[in-house]
């Protein structure tokens, strides 16, 4: 009996512990599913406890190890409380996937878009992301090999936005685009600061995906040109399951590297 308990403890210690913010739906939920399939212990972050628990129950029904972390990325105190609880229960964190995000400006002209709307986007997409990284970095540093994966967007690429040959040249979504450009800069800054440590930091573009966030109603068929949630999560899952963990300070998508 003692031998069996020791084996269970060893198995739990070898199971990667992964926190995904905003994971009760969309790409976050798909990422949680794929990482559950890969044998990781998923901490499913959700702002709404009821919706989060439904997602957790669905994943547990498939045999995955999943726990709910109720956390609003705009609430610094709540983030710190979540980090303290995870520290108490697990003592470390292997992966942090910053998936939570919003888009509110609906391609309104920069000359008329309210700064109040832009502030809301920055609060979630940028300031919330930075608060989460700062709160959980001490736990990531306790892991043998840790990763921070930030969900960005090709719409946040300054290179694509200024390329006359790019389809993003004519895109105008100041609040969302600027917040995702800021996410990329956060990735660069944290990656440089953590060079030589056990923690890598990378940005990923999931692409235009058939989710509620992507503009698809749950009752509609997938529109032409949109990819499936599994396709949207592909590069995130690839980085999250890479045993080498050598890449840092990159901005990638399934097809390769993107310009900053």
């Amino acid at each position: 009996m003692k031998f069996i308990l020791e084996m269970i403890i060893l198995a739990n210690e070898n199971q990667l512990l992964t926190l995904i913010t905003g994971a009760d739906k969309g790409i976050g939920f798909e990422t949680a599913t794929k990482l559950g399939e890969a044998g990781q212990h998923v901490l499913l972050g959700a702002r709404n406890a009821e919706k989060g628990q439904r997602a957790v129950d669905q994943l547990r029904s498939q045999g995955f190890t999943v726990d709910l972390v109720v956390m609003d990325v705009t609430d610094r105190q709540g983030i710190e409380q979540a980090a303290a609880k995870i520290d108490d229960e697990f003592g470390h964190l292997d992966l942090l996937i910053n998936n939570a995000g919003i888009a509110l400006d609906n391609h309104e002209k920069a000359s008329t878009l309210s700064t109040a709307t832009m502030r809301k986007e920055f609060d979630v997409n940028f300031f919330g992301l930075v608060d989460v990284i700062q709160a959980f970095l001490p736990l990531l540093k306790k892991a043998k090999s840790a990763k921070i994966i930030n969900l960005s967007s090709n719409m946040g690429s300054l290179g694509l936005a200024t390329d006359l040959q790019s389809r993003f040249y004519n895109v105008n979504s100041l609040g969302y685009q600027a917040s995702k450009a800021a996410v990329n800069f956060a990735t660069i800054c944290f990656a440089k600061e953590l060079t030589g440590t056990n923690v890598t930091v990378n940005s990923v573009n999931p692409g235009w995906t058939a989710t509620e966030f992507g503009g698809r109603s749950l009752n509609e068929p997938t529109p032409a040109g949109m990819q499936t949630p599994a396709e949207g999560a592909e590069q995130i899952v690839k980085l999250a399951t890479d045993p080498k963990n050598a890449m840092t300070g990159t901005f990638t998508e399934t097809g390769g590297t993107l310009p900053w």
Side-chain angles (χ1 to χ4, degrees):
M1 184 66 178
K2 181 181 178 182
F3 174 76
I4 294 174
L5 289 174
E6 288 175 347
M7 290 297 291
I8 292 172
I9 292 171
L10 180 61
N12 289 337
E13 288 178 347
N14 291 333
Q15 189 175 38
L16 295 179
L17 186 66
T18 301
L19 171 63
I20 309 171
T21 64
D24 56 302
K25 59 183 178 180
I27 291 175
F29 182 78
E30 184 66 29
T31 301
T33 302
K34 296 301 182 184
L35 296 183
E37 290 175 354
Q40 295 187 15
H41 182 165
V42 175
L43 301 177
L44 190 147
R47 186 169 53 114
N48 182 287
E50 185 178 345
K51 292 179 180 178
Q53 191 59 55
R54 282 202 298 266
V56 166
D57 292 343
Q58 185 175 342
L59 293 173
R60 284 178 175 173
S61 71
Q62 299 178 63
F64 306 147
T65 306
V66 186
D67 289 308
L68 176 63
V69 176
V70 179
M71 186 174 69
D72 183 340
V73 300
T74 65
D75 177 6
R76 175 77 192 204
Q77 183 178 1
I79 293 168
E80 292 174 347
Q81 289 173 347
K85 183 178 180 182
I86 292 171
D87 191 13
D88 288 341
E89 293 185 8
F90 302 102
H92 79 287
L93 183 67
D94 296 292
L95 285 92
L96 170 61
I97 301 177
N98 285 303
N99 168 76
I102 59 173
L104 303 175
D105 42 344
N106 297 315
H107 302 282
E108 186 176 340
K109 292 180 180 179
S111 58
T112 60
L113 179 64
S114 74
T115 54
T117 296
M118 288 186 268
R119 285 190 179 96
K120 289 178 182 179
E121 291 176 308
F122 266 81
D123 280 344
V124 175
N125 298 347
F126 177 67
F127 294 118
L129 176 143
V130 172
D131 277 342
V132 170
I133 292 176
Q134 289 178 345
F136 284 93
L137 189 54
L139 284 174
L140 291 162
K141 288 182 176 179
K142 292 180 180 181
K144 293 179 181 178
S145 178
K147 305 172 185 178
I148 299 171
I149 300 173
N150 297 325
L151 263 68
S152 182
S153 172
N154 44 22
M155 290 178 65
S157 166
L158 299 180
L160 294 177
T162 54
D163 181 357
L164 288 169
Q165 305 304 314
S166 170
R167 63 190 178 96
F168 295 101
Y169 182 81
N170 293 317
V171 172
N172 194 32
S173 191
L174 176 58
Y176 180 73
Q177 287 181 278
S179 70
K180 288 301 185 179
V183 166
N184 281 348
F185 212 94
T187 294
I188 292 169
C189 289
F190 279 108
K192 288 194 293 186
E193 178 181 341
L194 295 169
T195 296
T197 73
N198 64 316
V199 185
T200 61
V201 191
N202 294 283
S203 279
V204 171
N205 167 49
W208 190 34
T209 305
T211 62
E212 183 181 346
F213 183 89
R216 170 186 175 264
S217 168
L218 296 179
N219 297 320
E220 291 178 349
T222 301
M226 295 183 79
Q227 61 188 356
T228 66
E231 290 170 325
E234 184 176 340
Q235 182 66 9
I236 307 164
V237 173
K238 180 180 179 181
L239 287 182
T241 56
D242 177 14
K244 295 180 180 179
N245 196 24
M247 288 175 51
T248 194
T250 69
F251 182 24
T252 61
E253 61 182 4
T254 301
T257 301
L258 286 165
W260 293 105

